Amino acid sequence: MAESIISRFTQAAGLQPRKDGHRPVRVLAVASGKGGVGKTNVSANLALALQLAGEQVLLMDADLGLANVDVLFGLQPMFHLGHVLEGRCTLNEALVQGPAGLTIVPAASGLKQMASLSHAEHVGLIRAFSELARPIDTLVVDTAAGIADSVTTFCRAAQDVLIVANNEPASLTDAYALIKVLSRDHGIHRAQVIANMIRSAADGYEMFEHLRRVSERFLDVQLNYLGGVPYDEYLQRAIRRQTAVVEAYPSAPSSVAFRNLAATIRKWPPPEGARGHVEFFVERLIGAGAFA
């Protein structure tokens, strides 16, 4: 029984080859140390840029208390993850279609209980992906800001963690705190950094280098620079229109940046197998009787 649960969980998270011959799903967890750095905009536009490049992308809103991916796209979903947890609908029934065929899993907004799920419920959400009846190349998970249990849970279930920060002292301090928690407490020793709302390419790289030097000096962690997204008035216009900038203004500087990020990710080798942390996490839950 335990082996079956672990197998379903890792397959659902994209950590095992699927039986239909489709390549394993790449799972990207997008996180930030604090709110207000544009994490959800990065998640949404990166997911759409990957979709427009030919990927089949599922965007999951995993900010379980203050969901806003659906608001960003101007969508009004009938169901959300809270309904999936309650058994009121399946995950397939909760899915909504975004632009260009992007599939979105909406989360509940403003529901306190969704922001304080148990470990078993976090695992149940990720396991629910085994029910999906459609091929997926990439799963982009927009986590909550900060270092809550839900954030670390979804980061552990991903092959790659993308940390969004900007060049402000509070953002960098909180990004370091997130990296510290992930590496010291959860065994995640590698992460990609996206510099958001930067003034120039040099500004973004300088921000990354500062974060990298401090992190690698005091922590057992390797940070890589995925790239930067400039501050862009067109992005602000897209937000007000409740559209993604890569769709509304494809020639805008931020749109070009998101397409570059997507192109870099598509060059990464495909995932080949489980990273390990997910299985250990599930085994601990089974040992604690979470699935009894």
Side-chain angles (χ1 to χ4, degrees):
M1 177 64 178
E3 182 178 352
S4 175
I5 291 174
I6 294 172
S7 177
R8 287 185 61 204
F9 184 90
T10 53
Q11 181 172 321
L15 299 175
Q16 284 186 348
R18 290 170 14 189
K19 294 181 179 180
D20 59 6
H22 199 274
R23 69 179 176 82
V25 177
R26 182 182 299 282
V27 186
L28 307 173
V30 184
S32 65
K34 67 182 293 291
V37 300
K39 170 185 58 60
T40 295
N41 267 299
V42 169
S43 299
N45 282 282
L46 178 58
L48 186 52
L50 287 165
Q51 181 77 27
L52 291 169
E55 302 272 318
Q56 291 296 318
V57 182
L58 181 66
L59 172 60
M60 176 183 178
D61 190 345
D63 190 340
L64 301 180
L66 296 171
N68 53 14
V69 165
D70 55 330
V71 176
L72 191 149
F73 284 111
L75 302 171
Q76 295 181 326
M78 180 178 300
F79 298 113
H80 54 63
L81 281 178
H83 297 134
V84 176
L85 275 179
E86 294 168 0
R88 294 172 57 184
C89 68
T90 67
L91 184 59
N92 278 299
E93 291 170 333
L95 300 179
V96 293
Q97 288 301 120
L102 175 67
T103 305
I104 298 167
V105 185
S109 181
L111 297 182
K112 185 177 180 180
Q113 63 268 31
M114 286 296 292
S116 55
L117 299 178
S118 69
H119 281 176
E121 288 170 320
H122 290 151
V123 174
L125 284 178
I126 302 174
R127 284 181 57 219
F129 282 86
S130 64
E131 302 172 0
L132 290 177
R134 63 187 68 194
I136 299 168
D137 297 310
T138 304
L139 168 61
V140 178
V141 181
D142 180 39
T143 72
I147 56 175
D149 286 346
S150 68
V151 176
T152 56
T153 296
F154 287 114
C155 286
R156 293 169 71 182
Q159 293 104 343
D160 293 283
V161 177
L162 280 51
I163 296 177
V164 180
N166 58 31
N167 204 4
E168 296 179 359
S171 173
L172 292 173
T173 298
D174 290 347
Y176 175 80
L178 173 60
I179 293 166
K180 179 179 178 180
V181 168
L182 292 176
S183 63
R184 287 191 174 180
D185 299 342
H186 300 287
I188 299 175
H189 300 296
R190 179 175 61 90
Q192 307 286 333
V193 175
I194 298 175
N196 196 30
M197 297 185 285
I198 58 177
R199 296 187 301 269
S200 66
D203 177 51
Y205 192 74
E206 180 182 353
M207 183 221 80
F208 163 73
E209 275 295 301
H210 175 73
L211 185 60
R212 182 193 64 80
R213 286 195 298 270
V214 174
S215 299
E216 294 185 0
R217 178 180 179 185
F218 296 105
L219 305 172
D220 179 19
V221 65
Q222 176 189 347
L223 300 183
N224 302 309
Y225 187 48
L226 187 57
V229 179
Y231 178 86
D232 185 3
E233 179 58 34
Y234 285 104
L235 177 57
Q236 304 307 313
R237 293 185 192 179
I239 293 172
R240 291 191 290 270
R241 289 179 52 184
Q242 291 185 283
T243 60
V245 69
V246 294
E247 177 191 28
Y249 306 105
S251 299
S254 56
S255 295
V256 174
F258 286 121
R259 289 200 301 273
N260 288 339
L261 294 176
T264 299
I265 291 172
R266 296 192 74 207
K267 292 178 183 176
W268 292 349
E272 295 181 353
R275 191 178 59 186
H277 306 304
V278 174
E279 290 90 336
F280 301 150
F281 176 57
V282 177
E283 286 170 2
R284 283 198 298 270
L285 290 176
I286 295 171
F291 295 104

